[in-house]
Structures are given as C-alpha cells and as structure tokens.
Amino acid sequence: MTTFDDLNKSARQFLTRLFEQTGGESSRQLSMYEIGSGLGWEREAASRAAQDLMADGLVEIRTLSGGIGLSAAGAEAMRAVLGAGSPSSAQPRLGTGRILDPPVCQSVMQVCDGIKAAAGSLGLDFDSLAELVADLKTVADQLGSPKPKTAVVRESLRSIEGVLKRFAGNKHLADVRALIEE
C-alpha cells in the first residue's frame, strides 16, 4: 500500500487539501479543479496530481467532470499521518444547526484571522477590501454573541468567498469553502 511518505510534494499537498475539505469522509466528493485552484495550481496540475493519487489507490473518481473523493485507503493514510483515529481532526464545518457550536466558532475565527492577516497582500481594490472588512466584522460580531447564528455567519462567509474568488485564489479561499460546504 502507498503511504503518505511515498508521495511527491504535489501529491501530498493535494491529498492533504482533499482530506481537510472532505473532513476525512470517503463519502464526500469535491472537484479536483477546485482543490487545485485552492492550491494556486492550473487545471492540468490538479488533474495530474489527482490521477497520480488515483493510481496509488488513495483517491477515487466520482464523476467524469472532475468529481473526486478519498478512498478508504486515502482516508486511512491521512489519519495515520495526522495521528488521528477519526475524521474529527479535520476542520469543522458550519453544519445545519441554528446556533454554531464552540469548536466551529473557533475554526471560523482562525480562518477569519488568517484572512485579516493577509488582507493587505491579497491585491484587492478599495471597494473589495471594504466589502471584505465589513463581512469579517459581521462574522466577528456574530462570534461575539452568546448564540452565534449559523445562517448569518454562512452568508458572510459566502460573501467573503466571492471576494476572494475574484481576486485571490489562495489558501484562504479553500479554508472558507471548507467551512461553508454542507
């Protein structure tokens, strides 16, 4: 069986991002191109990394349009690397509850703090930066509430996703998408 250490750097990055965004769940599916885009790669590079991981039995193809998912072996390999016995070590998602759970609030705060720290280097125009700041403030206000509303945080994160998608296909975009995926 192929292990994480047997993989080249690109394959390790791709598999790690897939694991994070699926929460380690083999049943979830994502676009190989979106994963690659989140890593700053062109479509060809994403396709090549996904195909290499498919050949190693760590990733499975789900749709002909680029939908992929972790295989059971891929999830197991990542858990072994992370030292985790369950998918709970992956970044939590917002979920469908009306009120956010404390671990989810912590993840949202970490993602937003990363975006704030990088905001000046994202190459945003003034209006986009103002929009981003307003959305980050809305999220921070909700997280400061005794009962932070999932719907408000989700919509603010979707707006942040829209800004990041226009100007900066980077790690922050993938982190935001990982939070809001249902």
Side-chain angles (χ1 to χ4, degrees), residues 6 37 40 85 91 130 136 146 149 163 168 181:
D6 295 333
S37 175
Q91 177 181 358
L136 288 169
K149 313 304 182 283
V163 170
E181 287 176 350

Side-chain angles (χ1 to χ4, degrees), residues 70 81 94 121 126 140:
L70 283 170
V81 167
L94 295 183
S121 64
F126 180 78

Side-chain angles (χ1 to χ4, degrees), residues 57-141:
L58 302 173
V59 169
E60 298 172 342
I61 189 145
R62 303 285 169 80
T63 68
L64 294 177
S65 61
I68 60 170
L70 283 170
S71 69
E76 181 181 321
M78 285 305 301
R79 285 189 195 103
V81 167
L82 297 173
S86 70
S88 63
S89 65
Q91 177 181 358
R93 288 178 183 67
L94 295 183
T96 57
R98 190 168 110 36
I99 306 299
L100 291 176
D101 295 328
V104 176
C105 289
Q106 184 64 33
S107 281
V108 171
M109 189 175 300
Q110 288 173 349
V111 168
C112 289
D113 287 348
I115 294 169
K116 285 179 203 173
S121 64
L122 293 176
L124 303 174
D125 60 42
F126 180 78
D127 289 340
S128 297
L129 184 59
E131 180 182 355
L132 181 66
V133 168
D135 290 333
L136 288 169
K137 184 174 180 338
T138 301
V139 171
D141 289 346

